[in-house]
Structure formats: structure tokens, C-alpha cells
Amino acid sequence: MLSDLLHRIARRCPTHDRASHAVTARLERQLGMEPSAPPASFTDERMDPDLIDCGHAWCRTRRR
């Protein structure tokens, strides 16, 4: 409950406020780094929070 309140105050939602392999891999490619190993789960490997509509009007990710 407290974490929900803190996410709301920071205007971040649990969907967009966590690391994902897709975003990390994209950053690694942009920086010319060696890619990290993909997670064991196919869904975790492909999940991109930038493509997900979290449904929270207050989430700043929606306004990008």
C-alpha cells in the first residue's frame, strides 16, 4: 500500500518502474556494450514496458 502511494507521488507505475531485458538490451546496443544474457523466460525476454499501456493517467511514461 505504501509502495502504491510512493509510485503515485513519483508518477511512476509498477509496470514502467522496473527493469526489463528489452530496454536493457536496447541501451546496451546504443552504448556499444556487450549484450547481457537473456532471461530464461521467453516472456521476460520480450516484454517491453514502452509498448504497454498501464492504464494510469498519472504515469509519466504515457506522456513521452
Side-chain angles (χ1 to χ4, degrees):
M1 187 163 165
L2 179 60
S3 65
D4 292 339
L5 177 63
L6 293 175
H7 276 112
R8 179 68 190 251
I9 291 170
R11 298 179 75 172
R12 296 291 294 177
C13 69
T15 303
H16 294 109
D17 198 29
R18 64 179 212 182
S20 74
H21 179 72
V23 175
T24 304
R26 189 179 318 127
L27 288 172
E28 289 171 340
R29 282 191 304 274
Q30 289 173 351
L31 296 173
M33 297 172 63
E34 191 171 322
S36 58
S41 168
F42 178 80
T43 358
D44 288 341
E45 182 180 352
R46 302 285 185 224
M47 196 215 54
D48 188 353
D50 292 341
L51 301 175
I52 297 172
D53 179 13
C54 62
H56 299 296
W58 46 265
C59 180
R60 74 174 73 159
T61 304
R62 290 175 46 118
R63 295 191 200 117
R64 282 189 202 176

